[in-house]
Amino acid sequence: MSSRAVRRWLPNQHGAWAMLVVPFLAGTLLAGPTPWHVPLMFAWLLCYLAVFHVQQWLRLRRNSRNPRAAARHVRPAAVFATALVPLGAALAVHAPWLLAAAACASPFLALNCRYAWRNRERALVNGLVALVPACGMLPVALLLGGGGLEDAWRPALACLLYFAGTILYVKTLIRERGSTAYRWASGGYHAAAVAVAGALMGPWITGFLAVCLGRALAVPALGRVRATRVGVAEAVLSLLLLVVLLVSFG
């Protein structure tokens, strides 16, 4: 497959990969990896890829004047969904409660599809909605490894606090650059996240979120920042979050 074809099949939403992978890895490593985490990982990624192309088809089907723009997403969606079926079936036989977990995620995915249909994928609410099933993979992976819900809710909340803040912060640098309201909202949210972590999660998570608060306050004041630099910095923070989760809850 050519590099151009790969770009057409794989999403260009680079920030989404950290949100997909970090909670899953945290849950897996906190519980202890098992062979069943491998098909779960592939099923999770295939689900994301299939849903991405379905959403692009919905968006372009309604909003594009070029029918071929939407049609090119049909084949990838079908391929990824077909590959997902045997993995999903095997996982459901092994752990039937995964069907309930998938049902819990469905309303959030449906709402994301509605935003895509309305061509509002970049809306703040849409991003926050997508975070719920992404961070929900932490307890799913942890439970699959034999952990309990009592072990899962605090690290899952830590992921949610960080990634929700990232969505706000990135908007202050790119789409909402120069918006005083967004900068206040981002700063206020990050301060509240530090307070929540201080009350519930211990010094490591609190310190990590305090660093995130500092960058949310300082970086937008610098003016224009290249998107690639923002992406690299957030990738590093996402990896640091994984380490901090393992130190705090492992």
Side-chain angles (χ1 to χ4, degrees), residues 31-45:
T34 72
W36 283 102
H37 281 107
V38 176
L40 180 64
M41 177 189 68
F42 281 107
W44 173 230
L45 295 179

Side-chain angles (χ1 to χ4, degrees), residues 113-132:
C113 287
R114 177 172 173 78
Y115 271 93
W117 174 254
R118 296 171 62 191
N119 199 24
R120 296 189 60 206
E121 287 181 294
R122 301 296 183 179
L124 174 62
V125 173
N126 189 50
L128 296 176
V129 166
L131 272 183
V132 177

Side-chain angles (χ1 to χ4, degrees), residues 179-206:
S179 170
T180 302
Y182 262 85
R183 287 180 62 179
W184 275 100
S186 176
Y189 171 84
H190 280 85
V194 172
V196 171
L200 299 175
M201 299 177 196
W204 286 99
I205 298 295
T206 304

Side-chain angles (χ1 to χ4, degrees), residues 28-132:
T28 300
L29 296 173
L30 287 172
T34 72
W36 283 102
H37 281 107
V38 176
L40 180 64
M41 177 189 68
F42 281 107
W44 173 230
L45 295 179
L46 286 168
C47 178
Y48 166 67
L49 293 169
V51 169
F52 169 81
H53 284 286
V54 168
Q55 291 174 352
Q56 295 309 302
W57 180 83
L58 288 170
R59 179 178 65 86
L60 294 169
R61 178 80 172 180
R62 183 182 186 187
N63 301 288
S64 175
R65 297 180 180 179
N66 179 7
R68 294 183 62 185
R72 72 181 180 86
H73 290 282
V74 173
R75 185 181 177 191
V79 170
F80 291 131
T82 301
L84 173 61
V85 170
L87 289 174
L91 287 163
V93 170
H94 171 70
W97 59 265
L98 287 171
L99 295 174
C104 290
S106 297
F108 299 96
L109 299 180
L111 189 54
N112 289 147
C113 287
R114 177 172 173 78
Y115 271 93
W117 174 254
R118 296 171 62 191
N119 199 24
R120 296 189 60 206
E121 287 181 294
R122 301 296 183 179
L124 174 62
V125 173
N126 189 50
L128 296 176
V129 166
L131 272 183
V132 177

Side-chain angles (χ1 to χ4, degrees), residues 3-31:
S3 60
R4 182 181 178 184
V6 170
R7 288 195 298 270
R8 290 169 69 93
W9 279 58
L10 295 182
N12 58 357
Q13 299 173 350
H14 305 298
W17 291 104
M19 298 179 189
L20 290 168
V21 172
V22 168
F24 178 88
L25 286 179
T28 300
L29 296 173
L30 287 172

